[in-house]
Amino acid sequence: MEDYQAAEETAFVVDELTQLGRARCESWTTNVVEQTSSQLTKLGEPLKYVVTCVIMQKNAAGLHTASSCFWDSSADGSCTVRWENKTMYCIVGAFGLGIGPPSPADDLPPVVHLLTPAMNSVNSFLVLFKSVLWHSQNVEEKNK
Amino acid sequence: MARGLGVLVALPLPLPVGFNAEEAHNIVKECVDGVLGGEDYDHNNINQWTASIVEQSLTHLVKLGKAYKYIVTCAVVQKSAYGFHTASSCFWDTTSDGTCTVRWENRTMNCIVNVFAIAIVL
């Protein structure tokens, strides 16, 4: 569902710079997320996007990241790109969420399951889709 | 439809009127306090901690019963003299979707939790 390439291409924006300067780092993270976001929207899919980026200096302290999502597993997805060079690590997460009514559930997740009798009464009823608590752990360890 | 389930349950739930960032902020802050409060950065446990933070936050947010999809991300970094930057960008419907960021720290580590809430359109 996600375009892996768009996220990866944008990570290479910071390729040519080898020294980690504080002010530059700020603009890098901003540039990465903005460019990734605009590249993804250019794909023209009926999706909303959330893009996150973490840049961390090498030879510094430990870093751990995790993410967890509650969504419609048939319409939504994510993609994580880990990138590094001599002086830094960069982790970019791109999440794409389908626009439109959630797909009806055809099997029962163990946790929550509610169904509407009819999709017509949209004002007061909510369909909870075949979504499960999707958990991914993107762990990047940086040791001293 | 519901194979294997003998009963259909329909529950009236409020449609989203805008994301309540303050509520989410309080929920997440409590989760982080509960998991990391009083702890020092520990390489062996850090995996469990980040996982607990995202799972607990997500569970509590879902329990609010609102018509949202959620994405919760968490980054924990050991305190040091070195730089750490995060950024995020979202393409969504600004009237119904929203985000909330919780920054937490103690003596040995910084923790940043992002919550993204996307309205479900019926």
Side-chain angles (χ1 to χ4, degrees), chain B:
Chain B
M1 293 298 276
R3 276 189 240 118
L5 186 67
V7 173
L8 282 182
V9 179
L11 195 70
L13 287 168
L15 292 178
V17 290
F19 177 59
N20 188 344
E22 208 185 310
E23 197 176 27
H25 192 280
N26 294 334
I27 288 170
V28 172
K29 188 166 183 305
E30 267 181 46
C31 288
V32 180
D33 282 336
V35 175
L36 296 181
E39 303 280 357
D40 283 341
Y41 184 87
D42 181 359
H43 176 73
N44 297 320
N45 289 328
I46 193 66
N47 258 351
Q48 274 177 292
W49 290 340
T50 47
S52 304
I53 290 170
V54 290
E55 282 175 20
Q56 286 179 27
S57 302
L58 192 56
T59 311
H60 284 113
L61 287 166
V62 169
K63 276 194 194 152
L64 294 175
K66 298 201 177 147
Y68 279 106
K69 297 176 182 178
Y70 294 102
I71 295 169
V72 180
T73 66
C74 167
V76 178
V77 58
Q78 198 174 3
K79 276 196 169 173
S80 68
Y82 299 96
F84 172 72
H85 276 261
T86 68
S88 66
S89 174
C90 309
F91 177 74
W92 59 24
D93 180 348
T94 49
T95 55
S96 58
D97 307 328
T99 179
C100 151
T101 306
V102 176
R103 278 162 280 265
W104 185 98
E105 65 179 295
N106 70 4
R107 211 172 42 98
T108 53
M109 52 188 168
N110 282 307
C111 174
I112 296 172
V113 181
N114 285 311
V115 176
F116 303 95
I118 317 293
I120 296 167
V121 177
L122 293 174

Side-chain angles (χ1 to χ4, degrees), chain A residues 24 33 50 52-53 95-96 100 105 116 123 130 133 139:
Chain A
R24 285 149 131 194
V33 291
V50 175
T52 63
C53 169
F95 302 87
T116 63
N123 286 332
K130 58 177 173 187
L133 225 58
V139 173

